[in-house]
Amino acid sequence: MLKEICSTRILSYGIAEIYILIVAGVIRTKNLKVTLACNIILTFLVTLGARLMWFVVEGGNDIRMLFDIKSDGGLKISGILMGGILGIYILRKMFPKYKKELTDTIVEAVFLGAGLTKLECFVVECCKRI
């Protein structure tokens, strides 16, 4: 059961998104629209970054592998960090009033999500080749 939950990365995504909702939406910005936009944009960019980094490092030459979401692993933590940095840049431009609050929250959430992803990777044993 735990292995299946960890293999889908639902835990790390869920915790990071709940963190953003609570910290950005309730504590820092107190603006639900900004917080929801932040969650949607970050989820997309972090997933895209993690998937692209996986493809560059391990995907091979077949571009179809990039769109095969059922492949084992398929995400790289370095891509999560790059997607988070891009998300910070975009969201700071979209919501200049909340620059500091969003930057602080996103940096914390990205590293929280990346750390949880590494724990999930440990449970799933996708890192045992190292």
Side-chain angles (χ1 to χ4, degrees), residues 15-16 26 44 61 64 66-67 70 72 78-79 93 106 116:
I15 298 286
V26 177
F44 175 75
N61 296 329
R64 291 177 292 177
L66 183 60
F67 303 103
K70 294 181 181 175
D72 289 340
S78 54
K93 295 292 183 189
I106 293 169
L116 288 171

Side-chain angles (χ1 to χ4, degrees), residues 1 3 28-29 36 38 40-41 45 49 57 61-62 71 78 81 85 89 93 97-98 101 107 109-110 121 124-125 130:
M1 173 85 173
K3 213 170 196 178
R28 291 185 177 151
T29 67
L36 291 176
C38 180
I40 292 167
I41 291 169
L45 290 174
V57 174
N61 296 329
D62 189 4
S71 60
S78 54
L81 300 176
I85 291 168
Y89 179 77
K93 295 292 183 189
K97 180 180 176 184
Y98 300 110
E101 294 86 354
V107 168
V110 165
C121 188
V124 175
E125 297 178 348
I130 296 175

Side-chain angles (χ1 to χ4, degrees), residues 55-113:
F55 180 74
V56 168
V57 174
E58 297 180 14
N61 296 329
D62 189 4
I63 194 78
R64 291 177 292 177
M65 291 297 293
L66 183 60
F67 303 103
D68 181 16
I69 58 173
K70 294 181 181 175
S71 60
D72 289 340
L75 300 172
K76 286 285 184 190
I77 290 178
S78 54
I80 291 172
L81 300 176
M82 289 180 2
I85 291 168
L86 182 60
I88 290 171
Y89 179 77
I90 290 171
L91 289 165
R92 285 174 62 105
K93 295 292 183 189
M94 286 176 66
F95 306 109
K97 180 180 176 184
Y98 300 110
K99 277 183 178 181
K100 182 183 179 333
E101 294 86 354
L102 289 176
T103 302
D104 290 347
T105 305
I106 293 169
V107 168
E108 294 162 357
V110 165
F111 281 100
L112 175 66

Side-chain angles (χ1 to χ4, degrees), residues 114-130:
L116 288 171
T117 300
K118 204 60 182 166
L119 287 174
E120 289 173 333
C121 188
F122 178 74
V123 170
V124 175
E125 297 178 348
C126 60
C127 295
K128 69 179 179 181
R129 67 176 184 256
I130 296 175

